Amino acid sequence: MNEQYVVDLGEVAGAHVAVVGGKAAHLGELSRIEGIRVPAGFCVTTDAFRQAVAQVPSLDEQLDELTRVDPDDREAIRTLSARLRRAVEKTAVPDGVVEAVTRALTRFGEHAAYAVRSSATAEDLPTASFAGQQDTYLNVVGPEAVLEHVSRCWASLFTERAVTYRLRQGIGHRAVHMAVVVQRMVLPEASGILFTADPVTGHRRTATVDAGFGLGEALVSGLVNPDRFTVRDGEIVDRTIAAKQRAVHALPTGGTRDVVVDARQQEQPALTDDQVVRLVQLGRRIEAHFGRPQDIEWCLDGDGFHIVQSRPVTTLFPVPEADDQENHVYVSVGHQQMMTDAMKPLGLSLWRRTAMVPMHEAGGRLFVDVTARLAAPASRAPLLDLLGRGDPLITDALRTLLDRGDFIPSLPDTGPGGPPAGGGAPAPIETDPTVVTELVRRSETSVVALERDIRTKTGPELFDFLLDAFEEHKRVLSDPLSMQVIMAGMEATWWLNDHVRDWLGEKNAADTLTLSAPGNITSEMGLALMDVADAVRPHPEVVAYLQGVEDDDFLDGLAELPGGPEARDAVERYLDRYGVRCVGEIDITRPRWREQPAALVPAILDNVRNFPPGAAGRRFEEGRQKALRKEQDVLSRLRALPDGERKAAETKRMIDRVRTFIGYREYPKYGIVSRYFVYRRALLAEAERLARAGVLAEREDAFFLTFEELHEAARSHRADAELIRRRKDAFHAYQALTPPRVLTSDGEALNGAYRRDDAPAGALLGLPVSAGTVEGRARVILDIARADLEEGDILVTAYTDPSWSPLFVGIKGLVTEVGGLMTHGAVIAREYGLPAVVGVDRATRLIRDGQRIRVHGTDGYVELLS
């Protein structure tokens, strides 16, 4: 019976996490790597933990109470976790565990000094490190003291920080058990941390070593600043030697104390250069064994380096897989599509299959390899210009990489540079509104045909049909006429801004000249929801009913209320037109408004509260009149200039051109998501059939298979449940990662910077995309479903895709972390005349909700006023 309570570390393997916890499993694996020395010891297993906590009074009731706590309620977590911790510490260690631990100590040295270290089953995992969440005790001497500290380690499963971490990670308290590692103490001359990849930049060929004298607790506790060495490709490329005034040493009788370092030694490096390089070589061996970058704790004594812990670095953004060893530069697709959230595998594979360029996947996001186009001079400038108009920080990141001159090869112009993204400059077209009408007709006809033809398709036949549908999808998307119209509107905008600035000294004139341009389906979507509010507002019982809506079947209940049928019909009409949309709509796995109409209710109620009847029509007409007045003003001022008639005539042609074509800029995305909704319904129906047949545990498991894997499941009636589980865990981890704008094959993440000095001190820099200056209350909103806006608020968020446009009607300014001149938020901000600054790094963290700010939409910065 005793054997189940203790396992020697030398017998532990990585697969034993459920028995010995993550830390012990890693230590056991480390001890098997040739040339890696791990201090000897044993592990008190999770069986011992379960035996001990089974004796804790009312444990289940206390865990239930802890599970119900809000992760942000720090006081409740502090109280409940302290109570649990005391209860575990007071519980006597079971006799069988005492006997097993005592016997193990006899084998390793009964009166030797030990490190007693927590090893939870959810610790040091690839997706969650739990670093520092449980306790470690150093230099513990004697069986009684070891058993006491084993009990303390068990109790540390319920520290406030550990409980909060689990709540935020969505990990149940009952799902985690605690083992305890007991290892012979190493009394080191130096100790520290080794990262086998740069923890700041993510560069995989760069390692960093932090080192100090004595035990590593001096570094962990912040008692001293460490020496820091940066090693790349086996050479030290940077070093900082700190004045290490104190160190933590072990006491002969147990425990530790911090001591003053001899003045002659304080500024001596804790490691020699040779030792640093040798340590990094050991780290590379460990990294190769585990297959990913590691965060390694080490110590050095007279016998050499000992590794006392290694865990995966969970904060690094993954690198796209490549089938060669060449350098690659990847640009984020999400920063251009205004959706930087992680996507599920089915969503990723569908977007890749329907995209016009090859894409690479990493961290639940998509990237485009631009290496060849950057390397060839002929394609480099057009690419940088095009990407800069979408997001100038991407261009700055790429220029930073180019300026180094050591990563991107220089190819001759005849090399495989290819055309710039977007297909190059299209041939000019006439300013003819019927061109836009014809393009919309073509798209609508294609969607109708898709809906008609897919109805009878199921099983493998459905997937074969979809493969053909994806080709039609790309044909519609790549229609040369569509690209000509988009470029015509954008180029006319750029022409107006450039020439009016040069001739009249006025910035961003096109922002006003494009107000209420016809045919912009995204801005129409926001105004149409104001019309829905008009159908709701006259009926108090309908308003009260909507205020209590929680479920998506609320439309059925409207029929019973006075005015309810009219309100329901208005919502249904809106859903018929715009129900294909949702937040993050490029991911086919996201539910659409037609499926979750309750998502629209907060915006409807905001409109009811903030606007009078008929506001949509008046707002559109006010914008149109403002644009007309601006046109007359600009033309009048131009005519007064030398050669003014010619300048005015050219400008008038461009104004007509931009108002004819700029609204179409938003339509292709609508066409894409309209087709995506058809694909989604068909694939969900197929997933439902597979779930009923027992092939999938539940319908939504299909989202964690690629299109090809789901096709195979429909054909073979088999699906890999373990693969789906791993994909769910990975997706959960990816959600916590922030994707970089630019990523290299070395893992270096680059996000660019604004090289400007034209803003006040302390202002947050960004890209000016919609002219004007506005001051007001900032509302920092990350989830559109939780938006609570009042008229005059300034919306601050990470990104806005078209689904956010209904909120734009009720705000007076916009600040986003992601975006460019022609991304959706910028287009709609200009359409509604909202001063807007986008691409403001960390805006949602630097601006407090409710803070008063001033948005300079003409000059591209945000001032924090309170």
Side-chain angles (χ1 to χ4, degrees), residues 334-341 522 525 581-585 666 669 769 779 781-782 784 795-808 811 813-820 822-829 834 836-839 844:
H335 284 82
Q336 298 162 69
Q337 288 295 332
M338 295 289 91
M339 214 293 275
T340 54
D341 295 349
T522 306
M525 180 170 68
R581 313 214 82 147
C582 67
V583 175
E585 60 195 9
E666 292 290 297
K669 184 76 170 287
V769 295
R779 295 311 312 268
I781 296 173
L782 300 178
I784 192 172
L795 173 62
V796 180
T797 189
Y799 65 83
T800 61
D801 63 8
S803 68
W804 287 72
S805 64
L807 298 188
F808 283 27
I811 60 175
L814 174 69
V815 179
T816 69
E817 295 179 343
V818 177
M822 298 310 297
T823 48
H824 301 282
V827 171
I828 305 308
L834 304 174
V837 181
V838 303
T844 59

Side-chain angles (χ1 to χ4, degrees), residues 542 555 558-573:
V542 172
L555 290 172
L558 281 173
E560 309 301 320
L561 302 173
E566 295 93 324
R568 183 186 60 189
D569 290 347
V571 175
E572 287 287 359
R573 285 193 301 272

Side-chain angles (χ1 to χ4, degrees), residues 103-146:
R103 185 182 303 166
L105 288 171
T106 301
R107 290 200 311 275
F108 286 96
E110 187 174 0
H111 297 292
Y114 291 89
V116 182
R117 314 169 68 196
S118 304
S119 179
T121 53
E123 189 173 353
D124 294 351
L125 302 179
T127 56
S129 76
F130 279 74
Q133 299 307 313
Q134 282 90 38
D135 288 347
T136 286
Y137 301 95
L138 300 178
N139 202 36
V140 180
V141 179
E144 186 176 335
V146 169

Side-chain angles (χ1 to χ4, degrees), residues 387-400:
L387 290 174
R389 291 189 185 274
D391 186 333
L393 292 178
I394 290 178
T395 294
D396 183 78
L398 293 173
R399 289 193 188 281
T400 299

Side-chain angles (χ1 to χ4, degrees), residues 362-373:
R365 278 79 169 187
L366 293 172
F367 295 84
V368 173
D369 187 341
V370 297
T371 317
R373 279 176 281 175

Side-chain angles (χ1 to χ4, degrees), residues 504 633-645 647-648:
L504 298 176
D633 172 64
V634 166
L635 296 180
S636 172
R637 289 157 61 200
L638 286 173
R639 291 189 184 104
L641 299 176
D643 198 19
E645 288 300 330
K647 291 174 180 174

Side-chain angles (χ1 to χ4, degrees), residues 196-198 201-205 287 291-293 313-331 352 359-367 369 371 407 734 737-740 742-750:
T196 63
D198 189 312
T201 68
H203 197 287
R204 301 306 200 264
R205 296 197 342 263
E287 178 184 66
R292 59 184 299 162
V313 185
T314 58
T315 55
L316 298 179
F317 201 86
V319 180
E321 292 184 7
D323 55 7
D324 58 36
Q325 299 301 311
E326 302 298 320
N327 289 350
H328 293 273
V329 182
Y330 304 98
V331 168
R352 291 176 75 176
M359 293 183 179
H360 304 263
E361 178 187 339
R365 278 79 169 187
L366 293 172
F367 295 84
D369 187 341
T371 317
F407 190 82
Y734 294 156
L737 297 177
T738 300
V742 173
L743 183 66
T744 74
S745 49
D746 281 344
E748 184 177 8
L750 299 100

